[in-house]
Amino acid sequence: MAEVFVVATGANKLTYEMLTLARGLGEVSAVVLGAPGTAASIADNLAEYGAAKIYAAEDEALDKYLVAPKADALAALVTAKSPAAVLVPSTQEGKEIAGRVAVALDNGVLTDVTGLEADGTATQEIFAGATVVKSKVAKGIPLVTVKPNSVTPEPAPATATIEAVEVSVADSSKLVTVEETVVEPKGDRPDLTEANIVVSGGRGVGSAEQFSVIEEFADLLGAAVGASRAATDSGFYPHKFQVGQTGTTVSPQLYVAAGISGAIQHRAGMQTSKTIVAVNKDEGAPIFEIADYGVVGDLFTVLPQAGEEIRKRRG
Amino acid sequence: MKIVVLVKQVPDSSLERHLSSDDFTVDRASASNVISEIDENAIEAALVLAEETGGEVTVLTVGPDHATESVRKALSMGPDKAVHVVDDAIHGSCAVTTSKILAGALGKQEYDIVLCGAESTDGGTQVMAQMLSQRLGIAALTGARKLTVDGGKITVERQTEDGYQVVSAAAPAIVSVWDSMNTPRYPSLKGIMAAKRKPVETLSLSDLDIDPATVGAGAATSTVVSAEPRPPRGAGQKITDEGSGGSSLAEFLASEKFV
């Protein structure tokens, strides 16, 4: 059976999703691009989700310089092993790596893919999720970036062997130096792109201080906190939590939009959520057009009351 | 400092957008076309850099005839001149071949920095800056929320999913920016009038020594095979809070097994 590459970025949900998706296409091989030791540290996790082989493309240069060396290493490995397809995470870095590999190998690339069939037909949702397209790579092998929350990760324990891959980085790929990497503390909340439930606040929250009402409700549901662009632009919440066309796209089981009118910019980032709940004072807010359950009312009374009731139900 | 800003004309994302039913390319004919939103942040960044360094800003676009409107709009914000690559053979080009055309056009320009939006509001692929970097052999500093230039050293605060990175490179480089970087200025009346007289150079594929057979729909490295509108998401139940709205919401969440 043909080999299928999954670029694994760690022991995270998106990696497990890709490993699950790849099983339908062939023999799954994980590709780890990073500093020495990275592959060994996650090998058990990758094997649990079906990776029969793990290619360890490891070199200090891969973390020292931005993106380009990782793309070099992946392109070289693809050339050497001729896999049937390559799956890359649809993160900022993943898309950038895929873009470089596409140019290096003169191979088509499809980004933000939500499904991939054995014949290479990919599903994408474009125009803010309004249109569902089926696409194919017409030149080369299917090289796709997989959008988070597209599949349910299912374990399929395998025995993985690690194969070290020699990495050679061209000087032209060492042009950008990473001087500092800052991981901003997330706290205990789940990651926005991976959360099953997201509670977002908009302009209607009114101030940064009052965003605590959103956070409290999110914590009660074990949810991630999001914000509309109007809220982040107003400084109510940090920009990196913005859900929308120019922010993060989320597709959770439940999306709660509080004080969000539902401009197309915002809908672009959340309308593929399974269930949508909206709370807004304005009964004409467009968010109600796509909400499975809408409450016309003041979020500062509705959310605390709902929270109280949920606590009661839990006893 | 010579600065080139890449600008893409796209269908307005605040309105409904479609693919053409015949070839599944973006339907621009029936759309209201605008500058891709984040490209305006790139123009703003270019103008600020030019003001700081006494530089010159060139707008570069690849697109059909009517992309001229977006070129003039971009010029009305303040850039000095524009280059518009237009050729019927380009229609239907994928990202990989578009990067070839842009790289060809950039090869004809003098630049220290190329600026662009981190993604377009139509394709949204986030790949172009890195593709151009790969083709041109210049540094790509991507996803900037902050940009500083000190002599020949370019430093960018790169917004990431987990926080940020500080990355740097020597010029020449391509820098893609997010909308968190700045607020684009509005064109002044004076700017709009001046834009009408600014030079716009038109280039065809032959000017770039690119064989038309290697671009366009026929040479696309990826193709759309079908397109369907997402089944409309009907509105569900809507209640008005008259004192027990929160309790009703909790009941709904419980019935859907979220609590």
Side-chain angles (χ1 to χ4, degrees):
Chain A
M1 200 162 46
E3 217 179 344
V4 175
F5 281 4
V6 169
V7 173
T9 53
N12 58 53
K13 188 171 168 228
L14 180 51
T15 296
Y16 302 150
E17 285 185 51
M18 290 190 293
L19 290 169
T20 304
L21 185 61
R23 275 178 238 148
L25 287 97
E27 180 90 7
V28 182
S29 299
V31 178
V32 176
L33 307 163
T38 314
S41 71
I42 55 171
D44 291 347
N45 306 82
L46 301 179
E48 197 196 334
Y49 283 87
K53 192 184 271 182
I54 299 167
Y55 290 109
E58 299 181 328
D59 193 293
E60 298 292 352
L62 299 190
D63 284 342
K64 189 173 171 194
Y65 305 101
L66 190 65
V67 185
K70 290 182 180 173
D72 280 358
L74 181 59
L77 193 61
V78 169
T79 304
K81 303 288 177 182
S82 303
V86 180
L87 280 59
V88 183
S90 213
T91 54
Q92 180 174 8
E93 180 178 86
K95 290 196 242 188
E96 293 184 349
I97 290 172
R100 293 190 81 98
V101 170
V103 167
L105 303 180
D106 197 18
N107 194 109
V109 59
L110 297 168
T111 55
D112 286 329
V113 162
T114 57
L116 188 63
E117 290 159 40
D119 71 349
T121 305
T123 306
Q124 293 168 300
E125 289 158 2
I126 62 163
F127 297 152
T131 304
V132 180
V133 303
K134 301 271 186 189
S135 316
K136 278 186 121 162
V137 166
K139 197 169 185 186
I141 55 165
L143 169 62
V144 303
T145 74
V146 179
K147 201 170 165 175
N149 272 328
S150 297
V151 259
T152 307
E154 281 163 22
T159 308
T161 51
I162 299 184
E163 187 177 322
V165 177
E166 205 182 316
V167 175
S168 128
V169 178
D171 283 347
S172 60
S173 295
K174 293 181 181 172
L175 298 173
V176 181
T177 306
V178 177
E179 296 185 355
E180 195 185 355
T181 296
V182 178
V183 175
E184 287 171 343
K186 278 199 184 79
D188 297 333
R189 293 194 187 100
D191 188 69
L192 194 52
T193 52
E194 294 184 354
N196 283 323
I197 303 178
V198 175
V199 179
S200 285
R203 197 197 304 272
V205 176
S207 72
E209 294 71 41
Q210 295 183 114
F211 235 83
S212 60
V213 72
I214 302 294
E215 292 183 325
E216 277 166 30
F217 196 64
D219 290 344
L220 190 63
L221 295 174
V225 174
S228 71
R229 182 168 174 177
T232 58
D233 280 356
S234 305
F236 297 172
Y237 219 63
H239 191 272
K240 67 172 175 162
F241 295 101
Q242 186 195 311
V243 172
Q245 169 104 36
T246 58
T248 302
T249 306
V250 299
S251 193
Q253 296 294 312
L254 171 65
Y255 188 85
V256 180
I260 292 174
S261 68
I264 200 158
Q265 210 282 346
H266 189 73
R267 298 212 302 259
M270 49 64 79
Q271 67 182 354
T272 57
S273 304
K274 203 141 195 193
T275 300
I276 296 173
V277 165
V279 180
N280 201 303
K281 271 198 279 198
D282 173 12
E283 65 172 327
I287 192 80
F288 287 123
E289 292 164 21
I290 58 165
D292 298 284
Y293 196 83
V295 181
V296 180
D298 186 343
L299 72 96
F300 294 103
T301 55
V302 174
L303 291 187
Q305 188 183 60
E308 189 56 35
E309 181 66 29
I310 289 166
R311 279 189 207 95
K312 253 192 253 165
R313 280 169 184 265
R314 285 179 180 162
Chain B
M1 171 163 270
K2 294 203 184 299
I3 305 155
V4 176
V5 195
L6 308 183
V7 170
K8 184 180 185 186
Q9 190 184 51
V10 298
D12 190 341
S13 61
S14 64
L15 304 169
E16 225 175 280
R17 294 168 290 174
H18 302 278
L19 293 183
S20 307
S21 53
D22 51 350
D23 64 356
F24 302 126
T25 57
V26 175
D27 183 356
R28 299 171 198 278
S30 73
S32 167
N33 294 300
V34 297
I35 295 175
S36 182
E37 199 180 333
I38 310 169
D39 293 352
E40 292 192 18
N41 299 90
I43 297 170
E44 177 64 31
L47 295 171
V48 169
L49 258 187
E51 284 155 12
E52 286 169 3
T53 63
E56 184 190 47
V57 179
T58 303
V59 172
L60 170 62
T61 199
V62 173
D65 283 333
H66 57 73
T68 315
E69 303 151 18
S70 292
V71 169
R72 291 288 172 198
K73 165 84 196 297
L75 288 174
S76 69
M77 290 171 69
D80 303 282
K81 59 192 174 71
V83 176
H84 181 183
V85 182
V86 54
D87 197 307
D88 288 344
I90 293 170
H91 178 78
S93 291
C94 63
V96 176
T97 48
T98 300
S99 72
K100 183 158 89 178
I101 301 164
L102 279 168
L106 284 168
K108 303 268 174 193
Q109 308 300 317
E110 277 181 61
Y111 58 82
D112 302 295
I113 292 191
V114 179
L115 282 161
C116 63
E119 69 175 30
S120 65
T121 54
D122 59 349
T125 58
Q126 280 182 42
V127 296
M128 199 49 70
Q130 293 290 352
M131 283 184 166
L132 290 169
S133 158
Q134 178 88 20
R135 286 192 188 277
L136 297 164
I138 61 170
L141 300 150
T142 44
R145 65 180 191 188
K146 201 171 154 192
L147 164 67
T148 49
V149 178
D150 185 3
K153 189 188 177 189
I154 304 164
T155 304
V156 151
E157 202 171 281
R158 166 181 159 92
Q159 194 176 302
T160 67
E161 282 97 346
D162 301 323
Y164 67 94
Q165 289 181 305
V166 179
V167 296
S168 66
I174 180 161
V175 177
S176 72
V177 311
W178 280 117
D179 55 344
S180 49
M181 180 183 251
N182 55 37
T183 305
R185 66 194 66 184
Y186 285 106
S188 63
L189 185 61
K190 199 175 143 207
I192 294 167
M193 297 310 287
K196 292 179 179 168
R197 295 186 302 275
K198 287 178 181 172
V200 178
E201 186 185 2
T202 304
L203 296 174
S204 68
L205 289 172
S206 66
D207 295 322
L208 306 179
D209 304 317
I210 293 175
D211 178 359
T214 63
V215 303
T221 63
S222 59
T223 52
V224 175
V225 292
S226 74
E228 303 284 340
R230 165 180 289 282
R233 189 166 190 136
Q237 203 184 340
K238 183 167 149 189
I239 62 157
T240 299
D241 179 30
E242 280 160 352
S244 61
S247 303
S248 306
L249 172 57
E251 205 169 296
F252 171 78
L253 294 176
S255 71
E256 297 287 316
K257 312 255 184 289
F258 290 118
V259 290

